[in-house]
């Protein structure tokens, strides 16, 4: 039951962050929003790494690996978008 409370809080918080990033994407300077987007993926990635043993014990290693991979991809994409210099 306590795990459900944590999941509700985590997903609600990431939804608020996502809405803020979506709103910020319409601004002229989006660099800070890309950085926030990349940082928002770090806690779930850290949780995947820390609790990988638990995922494995439950037969859910594939979910941890898949989720961790997606978070890594999005960290890379957001970081690239934040530091990419347009030629125009």
């Amino acid at each position: 039951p306590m795990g459900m409370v944590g999941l509700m809080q985590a997903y609600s918080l990431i939804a608020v962050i996502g809405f803020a990033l979506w709103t910020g994407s319409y601004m002229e300077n989006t660099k800070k929003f890309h950085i926030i987007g990349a940082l928002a993926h770090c806690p779930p990635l850290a949780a995947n790494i820390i609790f990988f043993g638990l995922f494995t014990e439950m037969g859910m290693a594939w979910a941890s690996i898949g989720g961790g991979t997606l978070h890594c991809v999005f960290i890379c994409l957001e970081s690239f978008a934040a530091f990419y210099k347009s030629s125009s």
Side-chain angles (χ1 to χ4, degrees), residues 49-69:
I49 293 168
I50 292 168
F51 294 109
F52 182 74
L54 181 60
F55 279 105
T56 303
E57 288 176 17
M58 296 180 352
M60 300 283 291
W62 61 269
S64 181
I65 292 168
T69 301

Side-chain angles (χ1 to χ4, degrees), residues 1-13:
M2 292 304 291
M4 296 300 289
V5 173
L7 285 173
M8 178 67 178
Q9 291 174 347
Y11 284 109
S12 298
L13 179 59

Side-chain angles (χ1 to χ4, degrees), residues 2-86:
M2 292 304 291
M4 296 300 289
V5 173
L7 285 173
M8 178 67 178
Q9 291 174 347
Y11 284 109
S12 298
L13 179 59
I14 205 67
V16 170
I17 292 170
F19 180 75
L21 294 175
W22 180 48
T23 304
S25 71
Y26 291 99
M27 296 183 175
E28 189 172 321
N29 184 6
T30 60
K31 181 177 181 174
K32 61 185 161 217
F33 292 99
H34 289 300
I35 293 171
I36 292 169
L39 291 174
H41 286 280
C42 292
L45 178 61
N48 266 317
I49 293 168
I50 292 168
F51 294 109
F52 182 74
L54 181 60
F55 279 105
T56 303
E57 288 176 17
M58 296 180 352
M60 300 283 291
W62 61 269
S64 181
I65 292 168
T69 301
L70 285 175
H71 286 295
C72 286
V73 167
F74 286 119
I75 288 170
C76 291
L77 288 172
E78 289 286 1
S79 299
F80 176 78
F83 298 107
Y84 176 74
K85 302 278 192 225
S86 177

